Amino acid sequence: MNPLPTTMSAWCQERYGGPEVVVQAQIDVPQVGRDEVLVRTHATSLNAGDIYVMRGEPLVLRVAFGLRRPKQRVRGMDAAATVVALGERVTQFKVGDEVVGELAGGALAEYAVSTASRLVHRPSELDVTVAAALPVAGGTALQAVDRAGVATGQRVLVIGASGGVGTFAVQLCAQRGAEVWALCGERNRPLVESLGAAATFDYKKVQPGATELGEAEFDVVIDIAGTARLRALQRLVRDGGKVVLVSGQGGRMLGPLARLTAASIISVGSKRKLLPLAATANQDTLNSLVALATAGSLAPVIEHVSSFDEADAALARAADGHVVGKIVVTVTG
Ligand SMILES: NC(=O)c1ccc[n+]([C@@H]2O[C@H](COP(=O)([O-])OP(=O)(O)OC[C@H]3O[C@@H](n4cnc5c(N)ncnc54)[C@H](OP(=O)(O)O)[C@@H]3O)[C@@H](O)[C@H]2O)c1
């Protein structure tokens, strides 16, 4: 095997801002830590989380991600990659293994490091592009569906069904035998129905509280759009029903925190629980996604596959907030 290079091409940012602050540059290949794996990245896909960190908003996230500039200056969390070096305490992988995972960041680069526990093996039957689309959005959808306990015969409403998380959530709920209703843009209704939704509505015309959705008609609501009033969401579910809050719009300072705190308070003593979700990167979730996708039971909706040199345009498209499914960026083929 050729020795590893010391520098690599990466999309980096030195300050918070719009897509224009992320530029292609030659930087050092990251050092692998004791519990880490160095991978050669083949493909990544973009997530709303990349855009929040790129912008540094809501401002509260800068406490964790860097007060003046992002500590991790390379965006990209999802990765399909090959292991090229191992930290001394890593036993689960060997050099040459094909992996897929949810990195803490850094996947928009030829090489990236990840804690080994955020990676799983990628079977050869699972295409790199498909694998790269799975981790964050698929993992969030899977954890939302599990948190709600979606089961056969239930009626589930997915709000925000056309984005990365939503397209996975609709498929997972339908696969579990639920009757899925969905709110999405008018143009995306045929797609969302093809993913398994029994009924779809244009979110610009039908919102929680509208007669079309009724009251107490659902066992579960999965709110990915994060714009509806909490009380209106709560009224949608029957007693014993659950509203899983995947997202929440909010102010520039605190983002969804105020809404999520309010949700916990409103739920106290109520038979209709509002459950905030904080999805985590873990191997159980990744292995479930990989198994479903390899079996053909879960298929990411991929709006566009971008070349590495056009990653800035892909970031701008993701920042626009109207992606249908996922945007994948091919890094090293
Ligand atoms: N809780 C967690 O742990 C966790 C983890 C991951 C992601 N998230 C959050 O989940 C949210 C979705 O992420 P994502 O990656 O799926 O985003 P995304 O792919 O960027 O979502 C874009 C899609 O959302 C649709 N949309 C926008 N506003 C809507 C509304 N009011 N009602 C219905 N649909 C709407 C857009 O459709 P149109 O083009 O028709 O507007 C577009 O197709 C983000 O806020 C993200 O931060 C949370």
Side-chain angles (χ1 to χ4, degrees):
M1 195 177 215
N2 293 331
L4 290 171
T6 54
T7 65
M8 64 177 186
S9 180
W11 285 89
C12 311
Q13 61 180 122
E14 300 300 337
R15 61 190 171 94
Y16 291 116
E20 69 284 351
V21 303
V22 183
V23 295
Q24 196 167 14
Q26 202 69 17
I27 64 170
D28 288 345
V29 170
Q31 297 289 313
V32 63
R34 277 148 54 105
D35 295 304
E36 289 180 333
V37 170
L38 179 71
V39 295
R40 181 157 169 79
T41 317
H42 298 308
T44 184
S45 79
L46 304 178
N47 289 284
D50 292 313
I51 305 304
Y52 294 134
V53 181
M54 178 183 80
R55 292 193 199 284
E57 290 181 5
L59 295 173
V60 68
L61 75 70
R62 298 188 189 197
V63 175
F65 288 89
L67 287 180
R68 301 171 75 86
R69 61 181 68 85
K71 291 181 222 166
Q72 164 55 276
R73 56 194 179 138
V74 181
R75 300 277 60 78
M77 296 182 281
D78 291 333
T82 306
V83 174
V84 294
L86 300 167
E88 66 211 43
R89 288 211 296 236
V90 177
T91 54
Q92 206 182 346
F93 299 101
K94 59 183 189 320
V95 170
D97 281 355
E98 294 298 330
V99 293
V100 54
E102 179 179 335
L103 282 47
L108 265 176
E110 290 174 298
Y111 294 89
V113 284
S114 174
T115 311
S117 60
R118 299 177 82 112
L119 301 171
V120 297
H121 289 98
R122 175 178 67 83
S124 56
E125 314 90 273
L126 185 63
D127 178 74
V128 161
T129 306
V130 172
L134 293 173
V136 173
T140 303
L142 185 55
Q143 289 177 40
V145 168
D146 283 342
R147 184 96 203 270
V150 173
T152 305
Q154 290 187 333
R155 182 179 288 169
V156 178
L157 177 65
V158 178
I159 304 176
S162 60
V165 179
T167 47
F168 282 115
V170 170
Q171 291 183 69
L172 290 166
C173 292
Q175 194 193 50
R176 291 191 184 190
E179 178 188 308
V180 185
W181 292 29
L183 297 189
C184 57
E186 180 64 31
R187 74 189 166 113
N188 295 320
R189 289 179 60 198
L191 167 79
V192 173
E193 286 165 16
S194 76
L195 299 175
T200 58
F201 302 90
D202 179 357
Y203 76 82
K204 293 195 173 129
K205 295 187 184 140
V206 176
Q207 279 129 26
T211 49
E212 287 88 339
L213 301 177
E215 264 197 32
E217 289 290 339
F218 297 93
D219 300 288
V220 169
V221 172
I222 298 177
D223 178 29
I224 301 160
T227 53
R229 291 187 50 243
L230 293 174
R231 293 284 188 195
L233 291 171
Q234 201 176 28
R235 279 195 290 272
L236 288 169
V237 291
R238 311 181 216 287
D239 282 353
K242 293 174 185 164
V243 178
V244 177
L245 302 169
V246 174
S247 178
Q249 305 300 321
R252 184 166 178 254
M253 181 64 78
L254 293 177
L257 285 186
R259 186 174 189 262
L260 299 179
T261 306
S264 302
I265 294 166
I266 289 171
S267 287
V268 174
S270 171
K271 291 179 178 154
R272 305 168 177 196
K273 296 289 184 206
L274 297 165
L275 306 172
L277 179 80
T280 56
N282 67 77
Q283 290 181 324
D284 286 347
T285 300
L286 284 167
N287 277 322
S288 298
L289 292 170
V290 164
L292 287 167
T294 305
S297 308
L298 186 69
V301 173
I302 297 174
E303 176 188 282
H304 180 63
V305 180
S306 165
S307 70
F308 189 56
D309 288 343
E310 291 170 341
D312 51 348
L315 276 166
R317 172 86 184 125
D320 197 33
H322 295 290
V323 175
V324 179
K326 302 289 300 167
I327 294 177
V328 174
V329 179
T330 301
V331 181
T332 55

